[in-house]
C-alpha cells in the first residue's frame, strides 16, 4: 500500500513495529506536496528541510526506545491561525504576513508530547472568516476533486491537504462550520468538539464564544484519536472545561447503534439544500435505520434565526478581538502615516482584506451605542432560545442528523459577489456553534458530477460518544473512497 | 442611500473601528452593510420578552487561582514581532 494513502492509525502500527521510519513517511508526503500543492495551494508555510530534520529526530527517539504514541511520527498540517513556536503564523492575512509565533498553542504542546511531525501551516480564509477559502491573502485553495471549485472554508487548507493525500491529518478551527463544511466539500471527516473540550490557548481568536479547534482525518478513527490527543482541561483557557465534576462518556469502538434515537430537524432540510444532497442524506438516514436506530422527524423552530444571530454575534466578537491588530506590537504597520491615530487607521485599512473589514464593520455597528440592545443583546437572547431548542431535542434524541452543507463544492468566484449567498453556505453548521454542542461531518456519497456530500451528526453537550458511535457505523457501511482528480 | 445604513453611518462606524475607508469605498460599503443588516434585522420579529441573553453556552463559573509569579514571555521575545521597538518597549508614532 502506498504510504501517502494510509491512515494515521495504520501508519502507527507500522512505526510501532519498526517496519517503517518516520523519515520515510515524511519524504513520501513531502514528495506528494511538491507534486500537487502548486495546484491545490493548501500550504502557506512548508519547509521540507526542517521536516526531514524533525523526522530524523523522531526516528532517533524511537530507536532509543521512546514510547510510540498514536501520533508519533505522523505528518500533520496545522491551520495557520494556531501558534507553533518559532514558525510563521499569518492567519492568511497581510497584517500578520511576517509574524512569528513566540509560543506553542496548548494543542501543539500536546501533539509535541507525542512527537508528532509538523508538515506545515495550512491555508485558510483570512482570520477564519469565509466559507470558500477565497479570502486568503495567499491565494485561494482549490478543491482536490475539481480544481475549478472551492474546498469550502474557512479551514480549506486543512481539508484539501488531507483530501489530496498531502497530509495524514490536520487541525482546523470551527466557528460557524469552518471544519465540518470544508470536510464535507473535500470528502474527508471533520469534527468540532463540545465548546470548552479543547483549549483555545494559542488559536487566534475570531469569535471567542464560538471558536473550537478540532481534527480532520480520512476516517473516523483518526479523528477520534486526534481529538483524544488534543482535548482536556487547560488552565491557560478560562473557558476550558474541567471534567472533574462532570460525567465523561467514554467512547469504545464497536458499540453499535441499536435502539439509538435519531432526530431529523426539518429546519436543517431547508429549501436551500440541493435535491441531490437531500437524497443522499435521506439514503444515509436509511442506513442508520437498517442498523437498528429509531428515526423521527423533529423541529427546532428557533433555528430559523440561527444565521442572523450568528452574523451578529460572530462579527461583534471579531470586531473586539481584532482591535489588537493596530500596528503597534506585531504585524504590518503603515510607516508613512502621520501620528498614532492615522497609523492605526491606515494600518488596519491596508492590512485587513475586504471580508475581514466588512465583519469588523458589522460587529462595530451591532455593538455601537444605540444599536447594542436591538442587535447584540437581542441575538444573545435568541441564542438562548436556540440552546433551549437543542436541550429539548436531546431530552428525546441521542443524535440529530442532517446535511453538513446545503450544496456540494461550488465554483471559484461563484459566490464572491453575493455576500448573503456565501453566508448561506453555513446554514446547516452554524446552529451547532451557537449551542456549543459537538458535531461531525462524514462523507456519505457523491453527486452526479462526482463531488463529495457530507452528512452531519450532532449530539448533546459532552456526548461526543454518541457522535462517534453513529459515525463509525455509517463509515463501515458506506465504504467511502477518496479519489481526488490530481 | 440604504434602507437602514447610510454614508454617515459608515463614516461613523469606521471611526469607531479605527479603520479608514477611502471616499470611493464608502458607497459600496454602505450598500453591503445595509444588505447584511437588513437581513439580520429579521431577529426583531422574535418575542424574547422573558428570555435572558446567553452569557456562556455551558454552565461554568469564574476561574480563580492564587496570584503566584511564574515564568512569562521575555521582553526580547515580546518585542521580536514589533514593527518598531527600542531596547525596552514598543515604539509608536507621535500621539496627536
Amino acid at each position: 500500500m502506498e504510504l501517502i494513502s494510509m491512515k494515521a492509525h495504520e501508519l502507527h502500527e507500522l512505526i510501532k513495529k519498526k517496519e517503517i521510519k518516520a523519515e520515510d513517511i515524511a519524504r513520501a508526503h513531502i514528495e506528494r506536496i511538491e507534486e500537487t500543492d502548486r495546484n491545490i495551494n493548501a500550504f502557506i508555510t512548508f519547509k521540507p528541510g526542517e521536516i526531514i530534520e524533525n523526522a530524523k529526530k523522531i526516528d532517533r527517539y524511537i530507536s532509543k526506545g521512546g514510547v510510540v504514541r498514536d501520533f508519533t511520527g505522523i505528518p500533520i498540517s496545522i491551520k495557520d491561525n494556531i501558534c507553533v513556536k518559532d514558525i510563521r503564523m499569518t492567519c492568511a492575512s497581510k497584517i500578520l504576513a511576517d509574524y512569528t509565533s513566540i509560543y506553542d498553542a496548548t494543542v501543539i504542546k500536546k501533539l509535541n508530547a507525542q512527537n508528532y511531525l509538523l508538515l506545515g501551516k495550512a491555508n485558510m480564509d483570512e482570520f477564519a472568516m469565509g466559507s470558500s477559502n477565497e479570502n486568503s491573502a495567499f491565494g485561494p485553495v482549490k478543491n482536490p476533486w475539481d480544481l475549478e471549485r472551492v474546498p469550502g472554508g474557512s479551514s480549506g487548507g486543512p481539508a484539501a491537504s488531507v483530501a489530496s493525500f498531502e497530509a495524514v491529518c490536520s487541525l482546523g478551527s470551527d466557528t460557524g462550520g469552518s471544519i465540518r463544511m470544508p470536510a464535507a466539500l473535500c470528502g474527508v471527516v471533520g469534527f468540532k468538539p463540545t465548546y470548552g473540550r479543547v483549549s483555545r490557548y494559542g488559536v487566534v481568536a475570531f469569535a471567542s464564544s464560538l471558536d473550537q479547534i478540532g481534527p480532520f482525518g480520512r476516517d473516523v478513527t483518526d479523528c477520534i484519536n486526534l481529538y483524544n490527543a488534543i482535548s482536556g482541561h487547560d488552565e491557560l483557557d478560562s473557558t476550558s472545561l474541567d471534567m472533574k465534576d462532570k460525567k465523561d462518556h467514554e467512547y469504545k469502538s464497536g458499540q453499535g447503534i441499536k435502539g439509538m434515537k435519531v432526530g431529523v430537524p426539518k429546519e436543517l432540510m431547508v429549501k436551500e439544500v440541493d435535491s441531490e444532497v437531500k437524497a443522499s442524506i435521506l439514503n444515509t438516514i436509511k442506513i442508520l435505520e437498517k442498523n437498528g436506530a429509531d428515526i423521527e422527524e423533529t423541529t427546532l423552530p428557533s433555528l430559523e434565526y440561527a444565521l442572523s444571530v450568528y452574523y451578529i454575534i460572530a462579527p461583534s466578537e471579531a470586531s473586539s478581538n481584532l482591535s489588537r491588530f493596530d500596528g503597534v506590537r506585531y504585524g504590518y504597520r503603515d510607516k508613512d502615516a502621520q501620528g498614532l491615530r492615522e497609523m492605526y487607521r491606515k494600518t488596519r485599512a491596508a492590512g485587513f482584506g475586504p471580508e475581514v473589514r466588512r465583519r469588523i464593520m458589522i460587529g462595530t455597528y451591532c455593538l455601537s451605542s444605540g444599536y447594542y440592545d436591538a442587535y447584540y443583546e437581542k441575538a444573545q437572547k435568541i441564542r438562548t432560545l436556540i440552546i433551549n431548542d437543542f436541550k429539548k431535542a436531546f431530552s428525546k434524541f441521542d443524535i440529530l442528523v442532517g446535511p453538513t452543507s446545503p450544496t456540494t463544492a461550488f465554483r471559484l468566484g461563484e459566490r464572491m459577489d453575493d455576500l448573503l449567498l456565501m453566508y448561506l453556505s453555513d446554514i446547516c453548521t452554524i446552529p451547532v456553534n451557537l449551542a456549543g454542542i459537538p458535531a461531525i461531518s462524514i462523507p456519505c456519497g457523491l453527486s452526479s458530477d462526482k463531488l463529495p456530500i457530507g452528512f452531519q451528526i450532532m449530539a448533546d453537550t459532552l456526548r461526543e460518544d454518541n457522535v462517534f458511535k453513529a459515525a463509525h457505523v455509517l463509515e463501515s457501511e458506506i465504504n467511502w473512497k477518496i479519489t481526488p482528480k490530481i | 442611500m440604504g434602507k437602514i445604513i447610510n454614508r454617515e453611518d459608515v463614516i461613523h462606524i469606521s471611526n469607531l473601528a479605527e479603520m479608514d475607508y477611502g471616499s470611493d469605498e464608502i458607497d459600496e460599503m454602505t450598500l453591503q452593510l445595509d444588505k447584511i443588516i437588513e437581513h439580520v434585522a429579521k431577529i426583531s420579529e422574535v418575542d424574547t420578552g422573558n428570555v435572558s441573553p446567553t452569557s456562556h453556552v455551558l454552565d461554568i463559573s469564574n476561574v480563580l487561582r492564587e496570584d503566584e509569579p511564574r515564568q512569562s514571555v521575555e521582553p526580547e521575545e515580546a518585542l521580536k514581532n514589533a514593527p518598531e521597538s527600542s531596547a525596552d518597549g514598543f515604539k509608536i508614532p507621535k500621539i496627536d
Side-chain angles (χ1 to χ4, degrees):
Chain A
M1 198 181 192
E2 225 192 327
L3 275 181
I4 56 165
S5 61
M6 294 176 77
K7 319 278 186 340
H9 57 90
E10 295 165 342
L11 290 168
H12 168 73
E13 291 305 321
L14 297 180
I15 298 172
K16 211 165 64 179
K17 289 187 216 144
K18 298 194 177 159
E19 283 176 21
I20 193 161
K21 287 186 156 175
E23 186 183 340
D24 300 328
I25 301 172
R27 286 191 189 278
H29 285 88
I30 290 169
E31 202 177 297
R32 176 66 174 175
I33 293 168
E34 283 171 345
E35 174 193 318
T36 53
D37 208 51
R38 76 178 81 98
N39 295 321
I40 306 279
N41 197 28
F43 285 90
I44 290 178
T45 300
F46 166 62
K47 294 186 170 168
E50 288 178 24
I51 299 170
I52 298 290
E53 280 315 303
N54 290 332
K56 284 180 174 167
K57 259 186 235 164
I58 295 168
D59 283 329
R60 286 198 292 272
Y61 162 83
I62 296 169
S63 67
K64 280 186 205 148
V67 185
V68 179
R69 300 181 64 190
D70 284 345
F71 292 96
T72 306
I74 304 295
I76 298 177
S77 62
I78 304 288
K79 190 178 183 179
D80 207 18
N81 60 347
I82 298 173
C83 291
V84 182
K85 191 174 183 342
D86 299 329
I87 304 277
R88 177 171 76 142
M89 177 183 64
T90 69
C91 284
S93 179
K94 183 181 166 188
I95 212 161
L96 279 180
D98 298 316
Y99 178 80
T100 302
S101 301
I102 60 170
Y103 63 92
D104 278 326
T106 296
V107 292
I108 299 299
K109 268 189 228 151
K110 283 174 175 276
L111 288 179
N112 275 336
Q114 295 210 10
N115 290 289
Y116 90 114
L117 184 67
L118 172 70
L119 257 190
K121 300 300 291 293
N123 206 342
M124 55 187 276
D125 282 300
E126 184 180 3
F127 284 101
M129 297 176 191
S131 310
S132 67
N133 216 126
E134 290 167 287
N135 304 324
S136 165
F138 296 83
V141 178
K142 315 287 177 57
N143 191 312
W145 295 75
D146 179 345
L147 294 174
E148 284 170 12
R149 292 177 188 268
V150 304
S154 67
S155 311
S161 67
V162 173
S164 60
F165 302 99
E166 292 179 349
V168 183
C169 294
S170 188
L171 287 187
S173 63
D174 191 316
T175 303
S178 283
I179 290 174
R180 291 159 289 153
M181 192 262 192
L185 269 46
C186 290
V188 297
V189 183
F191 175 59
K192 178 232 169 266
T194 300
Y195 183 83
R197 275 294 221 175
V198 177
S199 169
R200 292 184 294 110
Y201 181 74
V203 61
V204 176
F206 159 15
S208 312
S209 79
L210 304 163
D211 299 340
Q212 192 65 186
I213 298 174
F216 286 89
R218 283 191 295 266
D219 73 1
V220 175
T221 300
D222 275 3
C223 275
I224 295 174
N225 290 343
L226 191 47
Y227 162 69
N228 285 333
I230 61 171
S231 57
H233 180 240
D234 179 17
E235 62 169 19
L236 298 173
D237 171 3
S238 61
T239 60
S240 160
L241 279 175
D242 192 348
M243 294 299 295
K244 67 175 182 283
D245 53 350
K246 294 185 172 62
K247 189 167 174 353
D248 201 355
H249 301 268
E250 204 195 330
Y251 170 68
K252 292 182 190 68
S253 82
Q255 278 175 322
I257 54 165
K258 206 169 180 331
M260 187 180 239
K261 297 202 166 40
V262 180
V264 185
K266 63 175 196 205
E267 289 77 12
L268 297 182
M269 289 287 214
V270 280
K271 62 177 190 308
E272 287 82 4
V273 177
D274 175 86
S275 60
E276 262 191 315
V277 172
K278 199 169 179 176
S280 179
I281 298 305
L282 293 174
N283 233 346
T284 310
I285 291 171
K286 283 201 191 106
I287 302 176
L288 290 171
E289 194 168 21
K290 199 187 83 189
N291 280 274
D294 298 328
I295 316 290
E296 198 182 307
E297 189 179 288
T298 186
T299 175
L300 287 75
S302 56
L303 291 198
E304 187 193 334
Y305 300 96
L307 192 69
S308 295
V309 166
Y310 177 84
Y311 275 99
I312 293 169
I313 293 175
S316 294
E317 294 186 15
S319 72
S320 167
N321 276 325
L322 270 59
S323 63
R324 73 191 60 169
F325 300 104
D326 57 5
V328 173
R329 289 155 295 165
Y330 31 65
Y332 167 81
R333 170 186 289 188
D334 183 319
K335 294 219 160 92
D336 300 325
Q338 300 296 312
L340 184 65
R341 275 201 78 196
E342 193 182 297
M343 188 280 282
Y344 287 156
R345 301 173 60 96
K346 291 202 160 153
T347 294
R348 288 164 62 76
F352 292 131
E355 181 63 19
V356 173
R357 293 178 76 198
R358 205 151 37 228
R359 297 218 194 171
I360 290 173
M361 292 292 281
I362 301 168
T364 305
Y365 176 76
C366 292
L367 292 177
S368 67
S369 170
Y371 299 99
Y372 175 89
D373 292 350
Y375 292 102
Y376 185 74
E377 194 182 57
K378 181 83 178 175
Q380 291 288 22
K381 285 182 177 172
I382 301 174
R383 186 178 187 181
T384 302
L385 296 176
I386 292 169
I387 293 171
N388 289 345
D389 274 2
F390 272 110
K391 274 188 188 150
K392 204 174 142 198
F394 288 124
S395 68
K396 187 168 175 192
F397 300 108
D398 299 306
I399 55 170
L400 298 173
V401 299
T404 306
S405 162
T407 66
T408 54
F410 41 96
R411 289 183 186 282
L412 287 152
E414 193 181 303
R415 296 187 188 173
M416 283 303 267
D417 295 325
D418 189 339
L419 296 175
L420 292 177
L421 184 63
M422 182 68 94
Y423 291 176
L424 268 171
S425 315
D426 296 325
I427 194 165
C428 302
T429 46
I430 275 172
V432 163
N433 300 77
L434 291 171
I437 60 174
I440 203 166
S441 178
I442 61 165
C444 66
L446 277 180
S447 66
S448 51
D449 42 10
K450 299 275 176 284
L451 294 168
I453 297 169
F455 186 76
Q456 188 176 206
I457 306 167
M458 297 152 268
D460 199 2
T461 321
L462 300 178
R463 294 312 302 265
E464 275 81 5
D465 58 322
N466 284 335
V467 172
F468 298 153
K469 245 185 252 179
H472 248 161
V473 167
L474 286 176
E475 182 180 61
S476 66
E477 296 265 340
I478 290 169
N479 193 25
W480 179 247
K481 292 267 184 299
I482 301 176
T483 53
K485 280 192 285 192
I486 38 144
Chain B
M1 188 167 61
K3 292 182 196 122
I4 302 176
I5 308 282
N6 58 40
R7 273 182 71 94
E8 286 64 43
D9 291 323
V10 169
I11 294 167
H12 173 61
I13 302 161
S14 75
N15 279 330
L16 292 175
E18 295 285 14
M19 189 170 65
D20 265 354
Y21 271 91
S23 51
D24 53 326
E25 300 170 307
I26 293 177
D27 285 342
E28 196 194 357
M29 191 62 225
T30 307
L31 286 173
Q32 291 179 347
L33 206 56
D34 188 64
K35 203 172 168 186
I36 296 163
I37 298 296
E38 192 195 349
H39 181 86
V40 301
K42 86 173 203 171
I43 63 166
S44 66
E45 70 194 46
V46 183
D47 178 10
T48 51
N50 296 317
V51 185
S52 327
T54 298
S55 58
H56 198 283
V57 287
L58 298 171
D59 92 67
I60 61 166
S61 47
N62 270 341
V63 183
L64 301 171
R65 62 167 171 80
E66 292 303 312
D67 187 16
E68 288 161 349
R70 61 173 111 172
Q71 185 73 27
S72 186
V73 179
E74 297 296 332
E76 50 272 30
E77 281 280 294
L79 292 170
K80 217 163 73 178
N81 282 292
E84 265 191 276
S85 60
S86 59
D88 52 0
F90 300 102
K91 271 176 93 171
I92 54 167
K94 193 163 160 272
I95 298 173
D96 38 359

